[in-house]
C-alpha cells in the first residue's frame, strides 16, 4: 500500500449509485495532474486528501492511483493553502483573495487566520465585515473537520458532517456521543443503521433501551415511507426484531414502555379483510394516529354542518316551499354561460356540488373532470360564492389555474406554511371563503389532509377531485380511496370517454391498461402513442438519449427541455440515476459545476427538489433549472416556476438531476412529451397503476421504449401492496371506536 497527499483540482466523474469517482489531483513532485479512482463520493474540489492505495495501469486511461482508504486533512503547502482557501469552503474568500492572502503570509497563512485574524486587514480590499465572515466560516469549518474526523474514526460518511454541525453546532460531538441514535431522528439522510454503527463503536449495548427504542421508531418510520399509517403489532415486532437482531420478547418489553411513555399509541380495531371481519392490534407513531383520527373526525363534522353561503340558504328555502328535496341548480343555464354541453353524470355532479358540504369527483383521463369542475365553479360563482382552488404540487396548481382562469395555490401556500411555526392557517386562523376545490387528491397523504382540514371552517364546502386509479400518495395513507370507499360522502364517478379524447391513443390506451387489456402498440403517422422494442437496458438507454437529444426535437420542432423521461425505478441501467448522467452528458456536458452526491450541477441543468424545505418554500417533487453556479462561494441558484432558490454546497443533496425522474415523483405533473422505459429489469416495480400513472403524465406524445413482455406483465400485475390504514373504518363506524380498548385517546 502507498500513501499520497494531494489537492483535488477537479472531479471528472462520480457515480451516485456506487460512489465510484474519478478525480484529477495535484501531488507534490508530479508535473502533471494525477488521476485517482475509487469510492471518493464525499471529496470536494480544493480539499486536501491523504489517500491510501496502489498505482495501476488502465489499458484505456493510462496510469491511475486506485484509492482504498482516504481522509481529508488541512493542507501543509502554500499551494494547498491557496487552493483550500479559494475553494469556497471559507465564505468571504474566493480565488482572488486566497492568492493575495497566501502571497502575503505564505506558510503562516493558517496560523494568522487562527491566532491573529485581524492581520488580514493588511490585504487591500479586506475590511472588518469580510474578516468577521471569514472568522465565522473558519470556526465552522474547524468544527466540521472535527466532526468529519470523528465520523471517519467510526467508518461513517463524512458527507453528513456539515449537516450534523448545522443541527447541533459546537455541541455536535458531545450530543452524538451521548445518544448517537438521535442522528436518525434529527438529521435527514442518516438512517438507523448508520446511527447504530456509531453507537456500537461507542459501546452502546445491543439490548440497551435507547437502541431498541430507536430501532422500533425507525421501523415504524420505514413502514410510513412505504405508505402505512400504522403497523400491526406482530408485523412491527417481527420487523424490529430482524432489524435489531434482538429477541422478540425484548422488543415487546420496549414497546410496552414506549406505550407508557406515549412514544407510541396502540388501538384495537375491527377491519374487514378478504370478506371477513378481523381484529387487529394497530401501533402508531403519534403524529400519524392523531392525523388519521383527526381527518375522520373533521370530515364527518364538516359534512354534518350546514354551509353558510347564499346558495345553500336559497336552495334550503326553495326546497321548503316546493317540497322537492332534490331541487338544485338549473344546469341548462350553466351550460349556456360556459358554452358547454354536459352529459347526465356531469350534470349530476354540478347539481350535487350545489347541495353537498363534502363531495368527491373522480375519473380517468378524457372523462371530463376539468370541464365538470369548470361547470361546478360557474354554478357556484353565479350565486356569488367565494371559491378557493388548490392542488398538492406547483405544476398541478398551475394547470388548474390555466383550466379555470382562477388562481390556484399549492396546499402549502394555501395553508401559509412559515417555518418553524408551521402552517399559519388552522382552527384559530381558518381559510376565508365559501368553497374549497382541491385537485389531484390521490396525492394527498394523511398528515397533509389533517393539516388541510384543520384550516377549513365549519361553514365551508369541500370538493375533492382526483383519479383513484393513479398511484397513491408518496406519504402514508390512502386518503382519497378511503374517503370514497367509506360511502359517507357523495361520490361522482366519471367513466364516459368523450369523443375528442377518443382520438388520443394515450387516453384510450390508458383506459385499456386500467381495465386490464393490452394497449394498442401499432405505430403510425398521426398517432400520439409510440412503442419502440428494445430488449437490453443498454440499448434502451441509448435509444432514450437519442430520442431526447435528436429524434423528437427534430421531428416535432421542439426543444429537448419539454421532453421528460419517466422511469419505474431509481437504480439500474434505465433507472433515473443512470439516465440522468447519460442525458446530462448529451444535453449539457460543458461548463463548470458543483459536485454533490455523484452529480455535477451546471448552469442549464434540469433539477428536482427531493425533500420538503419549508424555509426555502420549495417542496419534494418541484422541478427547476440551475440558473447560475458560484464556484467561489460553492453555491448555486435554481429557478423554479415562480421564484429563485439559493443552495450552498451542504444543501445540494436536496437536489437531483431531473432529465429523468421516477414515475412516483411525476405524480400531479403533466409534460408535453414523455419517454418511458418499460423493461423486465424493472419487474419489482411493474404494476398496472404505475404504468397507468406514467402514461397519463403525457399531454401530447408518449414514447415507450422496452419490451412487450414487460408491458404485458405490468398490465396484469395488480398485486399492489395494501396499505395499513383505518381511515375508512373510522369514517364508516364511528361508534366502534368508543368500544375498543385503547392506549391513548383514540376516539375521533
Amino acid at each position: 500500500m502507498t500513501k499520497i497527499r494531494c489537492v483535488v483540482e477537479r472531479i471528472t466523474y462520480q457515480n451516485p449509485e456506487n460512489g465510484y469517482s474519478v478525480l484529477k489531483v495535484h501531488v507534490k513532485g508530479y508535473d502533471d495532474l494525477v488521476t485517482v479512482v475509487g469510492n471518493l463520493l464525499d471529496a470536494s474540489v480544493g480539499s486536501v486528501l491523504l489517500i491510501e492505495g496502489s498505482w495501476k495501469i488502465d489499458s484505456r486511461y493510462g496510469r491511475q492511483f486506485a484509492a482504498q482508504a482516504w481522509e481529508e486533512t488541512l493542507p501543509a503547502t502554500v499551494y494547498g493553502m491557496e487552493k483550500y482557501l479559494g475553494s469556497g469552503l471559507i465564505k468571504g474568500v474566493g480565488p482572488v483573495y486566497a492568492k493575495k492572502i497566501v502571497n502575503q503570509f505564505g506558510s503562516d497563512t493558517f496560523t494568522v487566520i487562527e491566532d491573529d485574524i485581524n492581520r488580514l486587514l493588511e490585504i487591500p480590499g479586506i475590511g472588518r465585515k469580510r474578516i468577521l465572515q471569514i472568522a465565522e466560516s473558519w470556526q465552522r469549518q474547524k468544527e466540521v473537520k472535527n466532526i468529519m474526523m470523528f465520523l471517519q474514526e467510526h467508518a461513517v460518511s463524512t458527507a453528513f458532517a456539515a449537516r450534523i454541525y448545522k443541527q447541533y453546532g459546537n455541541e455536535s460531538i458531545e450530543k452524538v456521543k451521548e445518544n448517537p441514535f438521535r442522528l436518525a431522528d434529527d438529521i435527514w439522510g442518516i438512517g438507523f443503521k448508520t446511527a447504530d454503527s456509531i453507537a456500537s463503536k461507542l459501546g452502546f449495548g445491543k439490548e440497551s433501551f435507547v437502541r431498541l427504542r430507536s430501532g422500533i421508531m425507525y421501523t415504524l418510520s420505514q413502514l410510513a415511507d412505504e405508505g402505512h399509517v400504522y403497523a400491526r403489532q406482530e408485523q412491527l415486532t417481527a420487523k424490529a426484531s430482524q432489524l435489531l437482531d434482538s429477541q422478540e420478547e425484548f422488543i415487546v418489553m420496549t414497546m410496552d414502555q414506549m406505550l407508557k411513555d406515549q412514544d407510541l399509541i396502540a388501538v384495537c380495531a375491527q377491519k374487514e379483510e378478504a370478506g371477513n371481519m378481523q381484529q387487529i392490534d394497530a401501533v402508531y407513531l403519534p403524529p400519524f394516529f392523531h392525523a388519521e383520527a383527526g381527518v375522520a373526525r373533521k370530515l364527518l363534522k364538516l359534512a354534518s354542518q350546514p354551509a353558510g353561503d347564499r346558495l345553500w340558504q336559497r336552495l334550503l328555502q326553495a326546497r321548503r316551499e316546493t317540497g322537492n328535496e332534490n331541487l338544485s341548480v338549473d344546469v341548462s343555464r350553466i351550460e349556456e354561460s360556459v358554452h358547454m354541453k354536459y352529459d347526465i353524470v356531469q350534470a349530476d355532479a354540478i347539481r350535487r356540488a350545489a347541495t353537498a358540504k363534502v363531495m368527491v369527483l373522480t375519473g380517468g383521463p378524457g372523462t371530463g373532470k376539468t370541464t365538470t369542475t369548470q361547470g361546478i365553479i360557474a354554478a357556484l360563482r353565479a350565486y356569488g360564492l367565494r371559491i378557493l382552488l388548490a392542488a398538492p404540487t406547483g405544476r398541478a396548481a398551475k394547470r388548474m389555474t390555466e383550466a379555470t382562469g382562477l388562481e390556484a395555490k399549492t396546499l402549502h401556500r394555501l395553508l401559509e406554511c412559515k417555518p418553524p411555526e408551521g402552517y399559519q392557517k388552522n382552527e384559530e386562523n381558518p381559510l376565508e371563503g365559501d368553497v374549497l376545490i382541491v385537485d389531484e387528491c390521490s396525492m394527498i397523504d394523511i398528515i397533509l389532509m389533517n393539516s388541510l382540514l384543520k384550516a377549513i371552517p365549519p361553514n365551508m364546502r369541500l370538493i375533492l377531485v382526483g383519479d383513484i386509479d393513479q398511484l397513491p400518495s408518496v406519504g402514508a395513507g390512502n386518503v382519497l380511496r378511503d374517503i370514497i370507499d367509506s360511502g359517507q360522502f357523495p361520490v361522482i364517478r366519471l367513466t364516459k370517454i368523450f369523443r375528442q379524447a377518443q382520438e388520443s391513443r394515450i387516453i384510450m390506451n390508458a383506459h385499456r391498461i386500467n381495465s386490464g387489456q393490452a394497449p394498442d402498440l401499432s405505430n403510425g403517422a398521426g398517432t400520439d402513442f409510440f412503442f419502440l422494442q428494445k430488449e437490453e437496458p443498454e440499448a434502451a438507454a441509448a435509444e432514450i438519449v437519442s430520442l431526447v437529444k435528436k429524434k423528437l426535437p427534430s421531428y416535432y420542432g421542439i426543444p429537448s427541455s419539454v421532453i421528460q423521461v419517466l422511469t419505474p425505478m431509481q437504480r439500474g441501467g434505465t433507472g433515473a440515476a443512470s439516465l440522468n448522467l447519460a442525458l446530462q452528458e448529451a444535453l449539457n456536458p460543458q461548463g463548470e459545476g458543483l459536485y454533490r452526491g455523484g452529480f455535477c450541477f451546471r448552469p442549464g441543468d434540469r433539477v428536482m427538489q427531493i425533500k420538503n424545505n419549508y424555509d426555502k418554500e420549495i417542496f419534494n417533487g418541484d422541478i427547476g433549472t440551475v440558473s447560475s453556479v458560484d464556484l467561489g462561494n460553492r453555491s448555486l441558484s435554481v429557478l423554479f416556476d415562480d421564484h429563485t432558490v439559493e443552495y450552498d454546497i451542504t444543501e445540494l443533496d436536496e437536489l437531483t438531476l431531473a432529465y429523468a425522474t421516477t414515475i412516483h415523483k411525476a405524480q400531479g405533473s403533466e409534460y408535453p412529451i414523455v419517454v418511458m422505459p418499460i423493461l423486465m429489469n424493472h419487474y419489482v416495480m411493474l404494476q398496472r397503476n404505475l404504468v397507468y400513472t406514467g402514461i397519463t403524465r403525457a399531454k401530447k406524445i408518449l414514447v415507450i421504449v422496452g419490451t412487450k413482455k414487460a408491458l404485458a406483465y405490468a398490465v396484469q400485475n395488480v398485486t399492489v401492496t395494501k396499505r395499513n390504514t383505518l381511515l375508512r373504518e373510522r369514517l364508516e363506524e364511528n361508534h366502534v371506536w368508543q368500544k375498543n380498548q385503547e392506549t391513548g385517546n383514540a376516539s375521533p
Side-chain angles (χ1 to χ4, degrees):
M1 283 287 184
T2 304
K3 286 186 178 180
I4 62 169
R5 183 184 295 272
C6 61
V7 180
V8 181
E9 288 284 337
R10 65 176 182 267
I11 299 170
T12 305
Y13 173 78
Q14 286 186 318
N15 187 323
E17 289 194 26
N18 56 24
Y20 180 80
S21 306
V22 181
L23 311 182
K24 294 291 186 180
V25 304
H26 178 80
V27 182
K28 189 177 180 180
Y30 288 79
D31 294 332
D32 299 325
L33 293 177
V34 172
T35 302
V36 176
V37 298
N39 192 333
L40 297 115
L41 195 59
D42 302 329
S44 56
V45 174
S47 58
V48 180
L49 308 181
L50 183 63
I51 306 176
E52 187 175 5
S54 56
W55 293 98
K56 68 172 189 176
I57 304 296
D58 186 273
S59 58
R60 185 174 177 184
Y61 298 106
R63 195 170 190 237
Q64 298 175 335
F65 190 80
Q68 298 296 319
W70 64 279
E71 62 181 271
E72 190 170 351
T73 66
L74 281 173
T77 65
V78 170
Y79 174 85
M81 290 178 183
E82 183 183 330
K83 290 297 293 184
Y84 179 81
L85 288 176
S87 68
L89 286 167
I90 308 300
K91 295 291 175 70
V93 184
V96 174
Y97 278 119
K99 192 173 189 66
K100 289 181 179 180
I101 293 170
V102 173
N103 283 345
Q104 178 78 7
F105 301 113
S107 59
D108 294 330
T109 294
F110 287 173
T111 304
V112 168
I113 296 174
E114 179 74 26
D115 300 328
D116 195 7
I117 196 167
N118 285 322
R119 287 193 63 190
L120 294 184
L121 289 170
E122 298 172 21
I123 308 297
I126 294 184
R128 294 201 176 276
K129 187 176 178 182
R130 189 179 293 272
I131 284 178
L132 183 62
Q133 189 182 21
I134 293 170
E136 289 176 349
S137 186
W138 180 262
Q139 184 60 34
R140 180 181 182 276
Q141 280 304 312
K142 275 180 61 182
E143 293 297 331
V144 169
K145 292 288 184 211
N146 289 336
I147 299 167
M148 287 175 71
M149 290 174 65
F150 172 77
L151 293 175
Q152 284 173 350
E153 288 172 12
H154 298 89
V156 178
S157 169
T158 58
F160 298 119
R163 203 176 293 161
I164 293 170
Y165 179 78
K166 191 174 181 180
Q167 179 74 25
Y168 305 132
N170 294 340
E171 298 178 332
S172 295
I173 294 176
E174 289 174 29
K175 286 186 178 293
V176 172
K177 285 180 176 178
E178 179 188 322
N179 179 10
F181 296 103
R182 68 190 304 160
L183 293 171
D185 299 326
D186 297 342
I187 311 296
W188 182 73
I190 297 183
F192 171 79
K193 292 180 180 177
T194 299
D196 196 33
S197 172
I198 297 173
S200 175
K201 292 180 174 66
L202 289 172
F204 282 75
K206 185 178 174 183
E207 309 296 351
S208 64
F209 175 78
V210 67
R211 178 177 185 266
L212 297 179
R213 178 190 177 278
S214 181
I216 291 168
M217 299 286 278
Y218 175 77
T219 303
L220 277 169
S221 296
Q222 289 294 102
L223 288 167
D225 289 343
E226 295 170 15
H228 302 294
V229 180
Y230 67 85
R232 293 171 177 264
Q233 187 168 326
E234 63 275 13
Q235 174 190 27
L236 176 57
T237 303
K239 281 186 171 291
S241 177
Q242 185 179 11
L243 170 74
L244 294 160
D245 189 24
S246 177
Q247 295 179 32
E248 291 192 2
E249 63 187 272
F250 291 115
I251 304 297
V252 173
M253 288 167 60
T254 305
M255 283 171 54
D256 287 344
Q257 185 59 49
M258 292 173 73
L259 289 166
K260 289 176 184 174
D261 297 340
Q262 298 188 354
D263 291 332
L264 303 175
I265 296 175
V267 303
C268 178
Q270 297 290 321
K271 186 176 177 69
E272 184 178 339
E273 293 187 348
N276 299 312
M277 293 300 295
Q278 296 185 12
Q279 181 171 298
I280 63 167
D281 294 313
V283 182
Y284 292 81
L285 288 171
F288 294 99
F289 169 79
H290 293 299
E292 189 179 75
V295 168
R297 182 174 62 250
K298 294 181 183 74
L299 272 177
L300 291 169
K301 187 176 180 181
L302 184 65
S304 68
Q305 295 177 314
D309 55 71
R310 178 185 170 198
L311 175 57
W312 185 278
Q313 298 301 328
R314 292 265 307 261
L315 280 174
L316 194 66
Q317 185 179 349
R319 287 180 172 187
R320 284 200 202 101
E321 292 173 354
T322 63
N324 181 1
E325 290 298 316
N326 296 317
L327 190 67
S328 188
V329 296
D330 185 351
V331 175
S332 61
R333 293 180 63 182
I334 306 300
E335 290 175 329
E336 289 175 15
S337 70
V338 298
H339 310 292
M340 183 72 65
K341 184 68 178 175
Y342 295 108
D343 72 3
I344 295 172
V345 181
Q346 290 177 308
D348 183 42
I350 295 169
R351 284 190 285 268
R352 289 282 194 98
T355 61
K357 273 299 294 305
V358 178
M359 179 186 123
V360 177
L361 177 67
T362 184
T367 58
K369 285 199 304 296
T370 300
T371 54
T372 306
T373 303
Q374 289 170 333
I376 290 171
I377 291 171
L380 300 176
R381 292 188 79 190
Y383 288 86
L385 273 64
R386 297 166 300 165
I387 299 170
L388 304 178
L389 303 179
T393 67
R395 287 176 173 258
K398 187 178 180 182
R399 212 167 58 246
M400 202 178 186
T401 298
E402 293 167 350
T404 63
L406 301 175
E407 183 191 13
K409 297 180 178 179
T410 65
L411 290 173
H412 293 98
R413 279 189 61 206
L414 179 78
L415 299 175
E416 297 179 11
C417 180
K418 292 182 181 177
E421 295 90 357
Y423 296 119
Q424 302 303 293
K425 292 295 182 181
N426 47 41
E427 294 102 330
E428 287 75 36
N429 181 30
L431 296 167
E432 295 177 8
D434 299 308
V435 187
L436 172 62
I437 302 176
V438 187
D439 199 9
E440 296 287 355
C441 287
S442 61
M443 296 181 64
I444 302 177
D445 61 44
I446 196 72
I447 298 289
L448 183 56
M449 190 65 172
N450 188 44
S451 297
L452 176 64
L453 289 169
K454 283 180 181 178
I456 298 176
N459 58 355
M460 182 179 277
R461 301 168 186 252
L462 175 63
I463 299 173
L464 304 172
V465 184
D467 182 355
I468 58 168
D469 293 316
Q470 289 187 28
L471 289 166
S473 59
V474 174
N478 205 351
V479 175
L480 185 62
R481 184 170 289 280
D482 281 347
I483 290 172
I484 292 172
D485 290 348
S486 73
Q488 299 296 307
F489 313 98
V491 177
I492 304 297
R493 300 174 187 269
L494 302 175
T495 56
K496 179 183 175 182
I497 305 172
F498 287 89
R499 186 177 297 173
Q500 187 177 356
Q502 290 178 10
E503 297 172 3
S504 165
R505 285 254 306 279
I506 292 174
I507 290 174
M508 297 308 294
N509 276 338
H511 283 278
R512 287 176 69 91
I513 286 170
N514 200 35
S515 63
Q517 300 178 59
D520 179 0
L521 302 181
S522 57
N523 298 329
T527 186
D528 58 359
F529 187 109
F530 298 91
F531 178 83
L532 302 180
Q533 181 80 16
K534 296 292 177 183
E535 295 286 340
E536 299 300 324
E538 294 77 11
E543 181 65 32
I544 289 166
V545 171
S546 176
L547 284 165
V548 176
K549 185 180 181 179
K550 297 177 181 176
K551 293 181 180 178
L552 291 171
S554 173
Y555 189 81
Y556 292 104
I558 46 90
S560 295
S561 58
V562 305
I563 304 170
Q564 183 63 52
V565 177
L566 301 181
T567 177
M569 296 182 71
Q570 183 64 32
R571 299 186 178 277
T574 52
S578 293
L579 287 172
N580 268 317
L581 293 173
L583 288 163
Q584 184 190 45
E585 181 62 27
L587 301 173
N588 192 30
Q590 303 299 319
E592 294 284 352
L594 290 176
Y595 281 86
R596 188 75 170 177
F599 294 113
C600 179
F601 298 99
R602 303 187 183 100
D605 277 333
R606 191 188 311 168
V607 293
M608 176 184 283
Q609 178 78 12
I610 57 174
K611 73 173 288 243
N612 289 336
N613 189 320
Y614 299 98
D615 291 318
K616 298 181 186 292
E617 294 186 23
I618 202 74
F619 303 101
N620 189 0
D622 287 350
I623 288 179
T625 303
V626 178
S627 53
S628 63
V629 174
D630 187 337
L631 292 178
N633 285 319
R634 302 225 308 167
S635 63
L636 56 79
S637 301
V638 179
L639 176 63
F640 291 95
D641 285 336
D642 54 356
H643 66 303
T644 297
V645 178
E646 304 289 329
Y647 296 83
D648 68 35
I649 189 72
T650 65
E651 298 171 317
L652 292 189
D653 49 3
E654 296 184 15
L655 291 175
T656 186
L657 294 177
Y659 297 100
T661 185
T662 62
I663 296 169
H664 281 86
K665 288 288 189 183
Q667 287 176 261
S669 297
E670 279 186 351
Y671 311 94
I673 299 179
V674 168
V675 178
M676 192 163 68
I678 302 290
L679 293 98
M680 284 308 297
N681 67 320
H682 300 141
Y683 77 95
V684 293
M685 297 297 296
L686 291 181
Q687 296 167 344
R688 185 183 297 175
N689 61 352
L690 183 95
V691 175
Y692 172 81
T693 301
I695 288 172
T696 55
R697 300 309 90 201
K699 200 171 180 180
K700 295 180 179 178
I701 301 294
L702 173 79
V703 184
I704 292 179
V705 180
T707 67
K708 293 178 181 179
K709 179 183 176 182
L711 188 55
Y713 178 86
V715 171
Q716 296 306 314
N717 184 16
V718 290
T719 57
V720 180
T721 304
K722 193 170 179 63
R723 296 187 165 193
N724 291 342
T725 162
L726 288 171
L727 179 59
R728 173 183 173 177
E729 285 72 20
R730 292 180 187 272
L731 291 169
E732 282 179 337
E733 303 270 359
N734 197 29
H735 67 275
V736 169
W737 298 90
Q738 306 296 334
K739 294 186 279 188
N740 289 334
Q741 298 294 317
E742 303 173 352
T743 303
N745 180 19
S747 298

